[in-house]
């Protein structure tokens, strides 16, 4: 069995490591020379995502195909699915890639998101949307394409010539995420809520257990399963939640892939989010995730990695260096998970 993975970043790298562990070969297709996943994959191609010859080669050599980031061009996924199964279904990306369609979808399931408006088409901006976050509808990640807007006056200074969404800024008490894996027979497993701390809109630390009330946790778990079922999702996905100071729960966004906050599942569970994803998309025997340890994960961003490269790693700490060729500010370079 050969699993094709579109994208070559650290999520792809960790998927390859999990696949190797359970005897599945991988084939990475990436458009970047600086792709950590290629170091752990038996096969790889580095070509633009619209190169038909390379795509044909990739398709012919894979039994099933998945992706490690959601912004793979839709045309690429659409081309592949004509001849080989792709999980999760690319149609899901069409919704999730676009923050407006994503929020409309979530609300259609009676699940609350932050108040939002399609700022390009709405005639009158309601005053009560401020303070707000202005976000690009597409291609945003790690806080890219976002800015805080406090008033109509501030908004009027902005050139609204690309599709944008304006959403109410939440008075955050906590952020957490839930990782869900759904198999091809409809079986669904969840991991327990993971508490996340962001710095400059980039994930900084994740930990379990997450300190939230049981009723909030249960509601969020139900909502995550509901979203996975309604998307007919196959594989591992993540739902990011906001909890405000009045204990209101909101879905922030859905990631149709394995997620950074779930890195700690490698050390904390009998079956990581990566292994679960592979089992689900390759349609092999399911494994219920059972927690074995509590843990905390720290992202190493930009120069942070330098200190750790020479450090002696102590017992109970697991250090991952993505070995990216260049260090850049705000770029995820590695992570460290600590058993607690
Ligand atoms: P990305 O796709 O870049 O992860 P998010 O929408 O998840 O974008 O935003 C990144 C982070 O920015 C969030 O995890 C949160 O810390 C902060 N943030 C985003 N939107 C809001 C909001 N409406 N209210 C408060 N904080 C927000
Ligand atoms: Mg996010």
């Amino acid at each position: 069995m050969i699993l094709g993975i579109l994208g070559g970043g650290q999520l792809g790298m960790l998927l390859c490591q999990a696949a190797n562990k359970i005897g599945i070969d991988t084939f990475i297709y990436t458009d970047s020379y600086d792709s950590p996943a290629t170091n752990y994959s038996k096969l790889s191609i580095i070509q633009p995502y619209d190169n038909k010859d390379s795509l044909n080669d990739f398709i012919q050599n894979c039994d099933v195909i998945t992706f490690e980031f959601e912004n793979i061009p839709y045309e690429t996924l659409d081309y592949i699915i004509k001849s080989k199964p792709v999980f999760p279904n690319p149609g899901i990306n069409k919704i999730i890639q676009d923050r407006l369609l994503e929020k409309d979808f979530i609300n259609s399931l009676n699940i609350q998101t932050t108040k939002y408006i399609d700022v390009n088409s709405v005639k009158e901006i309601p005053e009560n949307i401020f303070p707000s976050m202005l976000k690009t509808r597409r291609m945003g990640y790690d806080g890219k394409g976002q800015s805080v807007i406090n008033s109509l006056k501030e908004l009027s200074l902005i050139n609204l010539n690309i599709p944008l969404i304006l959403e109410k800024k939440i008075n955050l008490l906590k952020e957490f995420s839930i990782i869900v894996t759904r198999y091809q027979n409809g079986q669904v497993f969840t991991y327990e809520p993971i508490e996340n701390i962001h710095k400059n809109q980039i994930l900084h630390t994740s930990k379990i257990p997450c300190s939230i009330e049981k009723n909030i946790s249960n509601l969020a778990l139900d909502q995550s399963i509901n979203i996975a079922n309604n998307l007919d999702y196959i594989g591992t996905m993540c739902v990011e939640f906001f909890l405000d100071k009045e204990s209101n729960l909101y879905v922030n966004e859905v990631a149709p892939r394995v997620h950074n906050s779930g890195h700690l599942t490698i050390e904390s569970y009998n079956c990581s989010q990566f292994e679960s994803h592979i089992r689900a998309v390759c349609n092999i025997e399911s494994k219920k995730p059972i927690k074995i340890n509590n843990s905390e994960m720290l992202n190493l961003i930009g120069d942070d990695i330098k200190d750790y490269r020479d450090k002696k790693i102590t017992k109970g700490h697991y250090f991952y260096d993505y070995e990216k060729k260049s260090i850049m500010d705000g770029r995820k370079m590695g992570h460290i998970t600590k058993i607690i």
Side-chain angles (χ1 to χ4, degrees):
M1 160 88 82
I2 297 187
L3 169 65
I5 303 173
L6 292 152
Q10 62 271 16
L11 297 172
M13 172 187 119
L14 297 167
L15 280 169
C16 289
Q17 291 177 352
N20 292 340
K21 206 182 98 186
I22 57 172
I24 288 186
D25 287 331
T26 53
F27 192 159
I28 292 288
Y29 193 117
T30 171
D31 67 349
S32 161
Y33 278 94
D34 200 356
S35 286
T38 58
N39 299 333
Y40 296 88
S41 186
K42 194 168 185 177
L43 302 162
S44 54
I45 293 182
I46 304 175
Q47 282 295 329
Y49 288 118
D50 60 359
N51 182 325
K52 288 273 157 67
D53 287 343
S54 301
L55 282 174
N56 290 339
D57 187 12
F58 178 66
I59 293 166
Q60 270 165 22
N61 281 290
C62 296
D63 297 296
V64 57
I65 288 155
T66 188
F67 45 88
E68 60 103 51
F69 83 112
E70 62 270 40
N71 290 325
I72 301 283
Y74 187 72
E75 297 71 27
T76 303
L77 297 172
D78 209 31
Y79 181 72
I80 296 173
I81 206 170
K82 289 196 173 84
S83 32
K84 280 285 157 75
V86 180
F87 296 115
N89 189 300
I92 294 171
N93 276 33
K94 258 198 169 155
I95 304 171
I96 304 298
Q97 273 182 359
D98 182 326
R99 292 187 195 277
L100 181 66
L101 302 183
E102 180 186 34
K103 284 190 163 57
D104 286 347
F105 168 73
I106 293 164
N107 282 280
S108 77
L109 304 177
N110 284 324
I111 297 173
Q112 183 170 242
T113 63
T114 55
K115 183 180 164 64
Y116 63 100
I117 52 170
D118 173 3
V119 72
N120 303 85
S121 68
V122 83
K123 292 216 171 60
E124 220 164 294
I125 312 276
E127 281 283 358
N128 66 0
I129 197 109
F130 300 109
S132 69
M133 306 283 293
L134 187 65
K135 302 183 182 177
T136 54
R137 276 174 59 176
R138 307 178 121 259
M139 303 301 274
Y141 70 98
D142 288 345
K144 291 186 174 62
Q146 301 193 13
S147 48
V148 177
I149 306 286
N150 288 308
S151 63
L152 261 178
K153 191 161 169 243
E154 269 182 48
L155 185 67
S156 68
L157 301 173
I158 290 176
N159 193 349
L160 303 177
N161 61 356
I162 53 162
L164 295 158
I165 182 171
L166 191 66
E167 62 177 67
K168 179 136 187 101
K169 191 162 186 288
I170 300 291
N171 210 351
L172 285 175
L173 177 68
K174 241 174 232 312
E175 289 192 67
F176 64 93
S177 52
I178 292 183
I179 310 274
V180 187
T181 302
R182 188 168 176 275
Y183 282 77
Q184 296 183 29
N185 63 5
Q187 203 176 16
V188 186
F189 295 113
T190 53
Y191 292 79
E192 73 173 55
I194 302 166
E195 187 162 337
N196 299 319
I197 296 175
H198 290 76
K199 271 193 186 165
N200 304 321
Q201 286 141 292
I202 305 179
L203 183 65
H204 180 61
T205 58
S206 295
K207 85 165 181 46
I208 51 169
C210 171
S211 51
I212 48 171
E213 302 284 335
K214 194 77 195 150
N215 63 327
I216 299 285
S217 165
N218 287 340
L219 178 60
L221 285 162
D222 274 359
Q223 291 182 343
S224 303
I225 294 170
N226 195 356
I227 292 171
N229 283 336
N230 274 283
L231 288 171
D232 196 10
Y233 193 91
I234 306 298
T236 294
M237 57 171 248
C238 176
V239 185
E240 295 179 12
F241 289 89
F242 290 156
L243 189 64
D244 74 8
K245 300 208 164 131
E246 285 79 44
S247 291
N248 295 305
L249 182 68
Y250 307 88
V251 166
N252 170 31
E253 62 174 351
V254 174
R257 53 171 170 76
V258 288
H259 193 260
N260 189 173
S261 64
H263 288 0
L264 54 70
T265 61
I266 300 173
E267 282 78 23
S268 277
Y269 280 84
N270 64 331
C271 183
S272 72
Q273 63 161 349
F274 303 99
E275 182 177 335
S276 291
H277 183 71
I278 291 158
R279 286 178 176 275
V281 302
C282 296
N283 207 17
I284 53 180
E285 202 189 342
S286 66
K287 197 164 159 188
K288 181 177 161 49
I290 299 168
K291 186 167 78 166
I292 46 180
N293 282 308
N294 286 324
S295 64
E296 200 171 89
M297 185 233 38
L298 170 70
N299 265 339
L300 302 172
I301 294 168
D303 280 340
D304 294 352
I305 192 79
K306 289 186 180 161
D307 292 344
Y308 285 86
R309 281 185 172 153
D310 313 319
K311 235 187 209 164
K312 195 171 166 319
I313 303 302
T314 46
K315 198 166 172 272
H317 289 66
Y318 298 84
F319 171 58
Y320 294 79
D321 185 343
Y322 309 149
E323 295 168 69
K324 291 183 181 174
K325 294 188 174 86
S326 63
I327 298 181
M328 282 187 285
D329 272 0
R331 189 174 198 206
K332 291 172 178 166
M333 300 300 298
H335 74 269
I336 187 154
T337 302
K338 180 171 95 180
I339 304 300
I340 53 174

